[in-house]
Amino acid sequence: MTPTLLISPAGGHRGTRIGGWATLREGDGVLAWYGALLLALMLPAALALAVDGTLVHGTPAWAKPLKFLASLGLFAWTTAWLATLLTPAQRRSALWRGTVWTLVACSTLELAYIAAMASQGQGSHFNFSTPWHVRAYLLMGAGAMALTATQVVLAALLWQQRRTLPAGARPWHTVVITGLVLTFVLGAGAGALLSNVQPPAGIGLPLLGWHLTGGDLRPAHFLGLHAQQLVPLGALLLPRAAWRPALAVYVLLWVGAMAMGLHGAVFTPPPVG
């Protein structure tokens, strides 16, 4: 496998060392290999997208599995990358091992269901055609909530270290913790609403499929879920004086995306009973 260059957070903020595959494995070997597997599976998903012209709600059936493989693969890799900030004892702890396998299990179940529905030319989300599909959709939603909650566990473990950290390392830890907490608060918040708001049908933005004319909460969900990556990345690229203003702008973007998504939203909650 060709190493991918990453900035390892283990060295603080400025002057961080450059790492790659070894850095991911140092953070967590299970997540490193799992993320690599998901990204590799994008190839057969892309081939299925190319040869299967089935449409679901006006979009190619295999577009959703392809996007979710990319998103969850990067999610696993980013979690492994940030886990390099944990102490070796923390990475060996039962709490962290359970967190890792929760991420793997929830991601795998969600991807398996999405791919299975795509192979049958059906939608995975808002598919209430049978009681089984309703239960599967609710279970997928619970799994997505547990998936984002893994980032809160990582944030809590990092917070435990603050008293023993050198003063120069604390700002970077604060940035990472903030991104992890926002992943849960904003990502799960938008996701909980998104599970009851069916996006508009038809083809939206290229690759993403979003509709920016209202009624689509997926942009807000994206900003929330990927705060795990985007908040630390912004801190690495911006001068320290710009961190707080940039974070405020980021949250305001999420609020705007939520407002846009709720405007004209069509609420389609799962049937009860």
Side-chain angles (χ1 to χ4, degrees):
M1 178 176 181
T2 303
T4 301
L5 288 182
L6 294 170
I7 301 175
S8 170
H13 171 53
R14 303 301 177 189
T16 52
R17 62 185 173 85
I18 302 298
W21 179 243
T23 299
L24 293 175
R25 292 192 63 189
E26 176 191 343
D28 195 275
V30 171
L31 293 179
W33 282 109
Y34 183 66
L37 173 64
L38 296 189
L39 295 175
L41 287 174
M42 290 179 65
L43 178 58
L47 292 174
L49 178 64
V51 301
D52 187 350
T54 304
L55 298 179
V56 177
H57 301 302
T59 59
W62 284 97
K64 187 180 291 290
L66 186 61
K67 289 188 294 185
F68 271 69
L69 283 167
S71 176
L72 292 173
L74 290 175
F75 192 85
W77 267 10
T78 306
T79 304
W81 175 55
L82 296 177
T84 59
L85 288 168
L86 298 175
T87 65
Q90 286 178 317
R91 290 197 291 268
R92 290 191 302 266
S93 68
L95 175 60
W96 179 244
R97 300 324 307 160
T99 300
V100 166
W101 286 108
T102 297
L103 189 156
V104 171
C106 292
S107 299
T108 301
L109 290 173
E110 184 169 20
L111 287 167
Y113 181 64
I114 291 171
M117 292 299 99
S119 69
Q120 299 174 28
Q122 299 184 48
S124 53
H125 293 64
F126 303 98
N127 183 347
F128 307 140
S129 56
T130 69
W132 183 89
H133 286 88
V134 173
R135 288 192 291 269
Y137 182 65
L138 293 173
L139 181 61
M140 186 169 58
M145 191 69 69
L147 178 68
T148 55
T150 62
Q151 305 305 290
V152 178
V153 176
L154 179 53
L157 290 172
L158 293 176
W159 182 262
Q160 289 178 357
Q161 302 176 11
R162 286 185 61 81
R163 291 184 179 179
T164 59
L165 286 174
R170 289 176 187 171
W172 174 242
H173 269 64
T174 300
V175 166
V176 171
I177 291 169
T178 301
L180 294 171
V181 171
L182 288 178
T183 298
F184 179 73
V185 174
L186 305 186
L193 279 174
L194 178 58
S195 65
N196 294 280
V197 176
Q198 184 167 1
I203 298 176
L205 291 178
L207 298 178
L208 299 172
W210 300 342
H211 295 262
L212 302 182
T213 55
D216 194 344
L217 287 169
R218 289 175 295 180
H221 183 54
F222 177 90
L223 287 172
L225 185 64
H226 293 284
Q228 174 217 42
Q229 298 143 8
L230 297 176
V231 171
L233 179 62
L236 286 170
L237 297 176
L238 295 173
R240 185 171 295 183
W243 286 2
R244 289 186 180 180
L247 182 61
V249 169
Y250 189 86
V251 174
L252 287 174
L253 280 174
W254 179 85
V255 171
M258 284 290 291
M260 180 182 66
L262 290 172
H263 177 69
V266 178
F267 284 84
T268 314
V272 178

